[in-house]
Amino acid sequence: MSSKSNAGRWAPASGIAAAGVGALASWACVVRLSSFKRFSIDEFQYAHAAWLVSHGQLPYRDFFEFHFPLPYLSYSLFVDDTPASIARLRLVMLAFFALTSFALYRINRREGVAFALTAPIAAATSAPFALFATEIRPDAVAFALFASALSLLYPAPVSTRRAAAAGALWALSLFATQKALIYSAPLAALLLGNALLGRGRPRLLRSWPPLLLGAFGVLLLITSYFAVTHSGGAWFQQTLVWAFFHERNYPGFSWTVYGVPAFESAWPLFALAVLGVLRAVARLKRSAAPLADPDLALLLVLASALFSFGFARAPFPYALLPALGLLCAFVPRGVAVIFGVLRSIPIAPPITWLGLALLALALWLVGPRAGMTEENAKLSPDNGYQYAILAELARLTSPTDPVYDNSGGFVARPHVGFRFYTSALDRQVEAATLPNTVPRAIAEAGCTALLLDARFGGLPPLLIRYLTQHFQPYNADLWLWGQRFSASPAAASFVAVREADYFVEPEAVATGGGLSIDGQAISSAVFHLRRGAHQVEYAGGVHQFSILWLPRDRQLYRPKYGLSPRFSSIF
């Protein structure tokens, strides 16, 4: 009896302590992942949009953007004219990850503190979820807000204050991404069913008007924003009309391309989640009022999130984030089932608690620890080289210097044209027009810097030819305005994209004599040119030379040909 009493006294505290240590360890891994993992190509796009907003520009009205605006409006508070300020946005995403973790914990509070803590642990150590939930993406923002709204449904019936807060958070999540409209739709249907229930029957909400008031309060602010900024019509065209066209016509692929590897990678957590789902279903079947149970909403939203991923035209891995996050919410129930079965075995208490401890260790080794190992593997290579390129960009260009890139990788510099990035569909549909519109926009903006990205090779060949003829490689990833010439008795043409200082490389072309521009002899390596085309003649002995824009640091350089770009990666 004494042994049983002591075990019963210390078991809850030791379970909470072990779960707390596990949560801290997993969170340390997430912080490290967020700090040092390479930035994916889309993160630069979202960071640049935030920089534009911080400078008074508006999505849809001043630049093209087919995502909903809440992420950019929130990110814009943390960026400045330093391209490397993108690091702050990763910290913002850590805050949203913390919000998601707390929501998952809150959903499982009735399981007990120790079991509830396994949900944040699952989120932090499920590599497919943590990798994208810590990136600068609208999906992570929207899910954090929506998961928080769901967590306020526990326990039911929901009070007036919690209902109003849930409605507001839900509306904010819809303002973050169109995907939230799809995976949250079952919750709307369930709440409508609750509203139509007769009096005297159990309900999910004590009163549904507060939820509507919370949601409509946020929607009123959103409507006011579009009215004041006069961007509502453009928002509708770009985020709904054009996005629908994009979804229907985008080059598609099967959900298995990214879905199967994600589930294989996190199979221990996935198995526990499935066990938790079965437990929730069994509990609902026994319930006298399943419509009043928030677990029904959780299950329906999970099914909708899986559906929206599987039936998307192009189910990229980050689109799986809501489904993976909701599966993490069921992990504590699966763990509780296993521990419950073991505790029901009629053996001596010390042996029971030893078995539970060994089981907890085994679950940690095959699940969270494996996930943390996979996350650490994503840190090689880390984002150090990307920061170095962004620092080079800040040194070579001024904050007002426009940069051309197909994905906004320059972050804190003006872009070229109304649309600063193109998708695979854009490059396919506009293959005939991009070779004309992009050079025209580069000329109008006076763009002198080019940042190669992972999609550069997908641009139309004529556009690639123009870019490689008018920009020369400063390093593997940054190219600056300039042209390469071969010695010839015939005159050539050099286009100065802006009025600025330029230089000739090698310097011997100028100091050795024989170089003239517009009939004027050039004797110094550095010279000033007006904007426009200039006639270049050279009668010296150097076989090849370049005329290049002089960067902000006013340091002459020699173009470096034949290097492989390493700055940009898709995922």
Side-chain angles (χ1 to χ4, degrees):
M1 289 296 293
S2 176
S3 173
K4 185 175 181 179
S5 176
N6 289 335
R9 184 183 306 115
W10 290 104
S14 59
I16 293 172
V21 170
L24 290 174
S26 60
W27 247 89
C29 187
V30 167
V31 172
R32 184 165 179 259
L33 180 73
S34 175
S35 302
F36 299 107
K37 190 180 79 68
R38 281 176 58 84
F39 294 97
S40 69
I41 195 169
D42 289 345
E43 291 185 88
F44 294 119
Q45 172 188 325
Y46 303 134
H48 176 60
W51 179 82
L52 291 171
V53 173
S54 74
H55 280 66
Q57 297 194 45
L58 292 170
Y60 326 116
R61 190 191 70 181
D62 299 322
F63 61 92
F64 179 86
E65 184 53 70
F66 73 97
H67 298 88
F68 281 6
L70 179 62
Y72 313 123
L73 298 179
S74 57
Y75 297 159
S76 66
L77 303 174
F78 303 94
V79 294
D80 56 28
D81 289 336
T82 305
S85 64
I86 189 174
R88 296 194 200 110
L89 300 188
R90 280 279 183 88
L91 294 178
V92 174
M93 298 315 299
L94 270 181
F96 279 111
F97 191 91
L99 183 62
T100 299
S101 299
F102 179 73
L104 296 177
Y105 167 81
R106 198 177 189 285
I107 287 171
N108 289 280
R109 280 192 309 177
R110 64 187 181 188
E111 304 294 333
V113 174
F115 287 127
L117 282 173
T118 62
I121 292 174
T125 58
S126 174
F129 179 79
L131 289 175
F132 291 107
T134 53
E135 288 188 348
I136 305 163
R137 293 184 179 277
D139 307 82
V141 175
F143 182 70
L145 295 170
F146 182 69
S148 299
L150 276 179
S151 73
L152 292 174
L153 302 182
Y154 292 82
V158 180
S159 67
T160 298
R161 287 185 179 181
R162 282 194 287 129
L169 289 167
W170 186 7
L172 283 173
S173 73
L174 301 180
F175 195 43
T177 178
Q178 296 96 318
K179 298 184 186 78
L181 293 168
I182 301 173
Y183 63 72
S184 70
L187 178 59
L190 180 62
L191 292 175
L192 180 61
N194 272 263
L196 298 177
L197 285 175
R199 292 183 178 180
R201 300 182 63 183
R203 299 189 182 202
L204 183 58
L205 307 176
R206 284 199 178 98
S207 176
W208 57 268
L211 183 136
L212 293 180
L213 287 174
F216 282 125
V218 171
L219 293 176
L220 180 61
L221 291 175
I222 295 170
T223 304
S224 301
Y225 163 80
F226 285 129
V228 170
T229 59
H230 304 288
S231 59
W235 165 80
F236 180 81
Q237 286 296 322
Q238 293 174 33
T239 65
L240 297 177
V241 176
W242 188 89
F244 179 73
F245 170 80
H246 189 272
E247 173 63 21
R248 287 189 61 186
N249 296 279
Y250 193 89
F253 52 86
S254 171
W255 68 270
T256 58
V257 174
Y258 293 111
V260 171
F263 288 121
E264 287 180 344
S265 172
W267 70 264
L269 298 177
F270 177 66
L272 289 172
V274 170
L275 192 59
V277 167
L278 294 176
R279 178 175 180 259
V281 171
R283 185 174 176 275
L284 285 172
K285 286 183 67 175
R286 295 193 302 268
S287 174
L291 288 178
D293 194 321
D295 272 2
L296 180 58
L298 200 64
L299 287 166
L300 292 175
V301 172
L302 170 62
S304 182
L306 289 169
F307 172 85
S308 65
F309 172 78
F311 286 86
R313 178 78 176 172
F316 287 109
Y318 51 80
L320 192 57
L321 186 144
L324 290 172
L326 291 165
L327 285 171
C328 289
F330 286 99
V331 165
R333 291 99 181 283
V335 175
V337 168
I338 295 176
F339 273 65
V341 169
L342 186 58
R343 289 184 63 182
S344 66
I345 299 175
I347 53 180
I351 299 177
T352 300
W353 295 115
L354 177 61
L356 291 173
L358 292 175
L359 175 60
L361 179 62
L363 289 174
W364 174 263
L365 291 175
V366 300
R369 188 173 181 276
M372 292 164 65
T373 301
E374 183 177 348
E375 290 171 12
N376 285 333
K378 293 293 184 180
L379 302 180
S380 181
D382 60 16
N383 53 23
Y385 178 76
Q386 293 175 312
Y387 280 128
I389 292 297
L390 291 174
E392 288 272 53
L393 184 64
R395 182 173 59 84
L396 297 171
T397 63
S398 300
T400 56
D401 288 342
V403 180
Y404 176 76
D405 174 52
N406 196 44
S407 59
F410 40 83
V411 180
R413 292 293 183 267
H415 61 266
V416 171
F418 181 69
R419 178 181 292 185
F420 68 87
Y421 66 91
T422 60
S423 68
L425 178 62
D426 298 321
R427 297 190 292 275
Q428 176 182 309
V429 172
E430 301 178 26
T433 58
L434 286 174
N436 297 319
T437 58
V438 171
R440 188 184 310 125
I442 286 175
E444 291 174 354
C447 173
T448 54
L450 162 70
L451 179 62
L452 298 185
D453 67 6
R455 298 181 179 129
F456 184 80
L459 294 173
L462 286 177
L463 178 55
I464 293 177
R465 181 181 177 185
Y466 167 84
L467 294 172
T468 53
Q469 284 180 346
H470 290 84
F471 293 87
Q472 304 303 312
Y474 181 86
N475 56 36
D477 297 274
L478 283 173
W479 291 43
L480 302 180
W481 184 266
Q483 292 174 232
R484 196 177 190 187
F485 299 92
S486 297
S488 171
S493 177
F494 173 76
V495 177
V497 74
R498 68 164 77 164
E499 181 172 353
D501 286 341
Y502 295 82
F503 70 97
V504 63
E505 195 286 321
E507 188 175 354
V509 173
T511 58
L515 175 67
S516 65
I517 298 179
D518 295 333
Q520 300 293 320
I522 301 297
S523 58
S524 173
V526 179
F527 43 86
H528 191 83
L529 292 179
R530 297 187 309 275
R531 181 175 183 172
H534 299 270
Q535 188 180 58
V536 178
E537 295 177 285
Y538 179 62
V542 178
H543 295 294
Q544 285 192 324
F545 64 95
S546 301
I547 297 178
L548 307 162
W549 170 72
L550 185 65
R552 180 191 186 188
D553 65 356
R554 302 194 64 80
Q555 297 295 312
L556 309 188
Y557 69 92
R558 174 169 293 179
K560 299 177 177 65
Y561 299 99
L563 301 178
S564 298
R566 296 184 289 124
F567 174 78
S568 176
S569 56
I570 299 298
F571 297 121

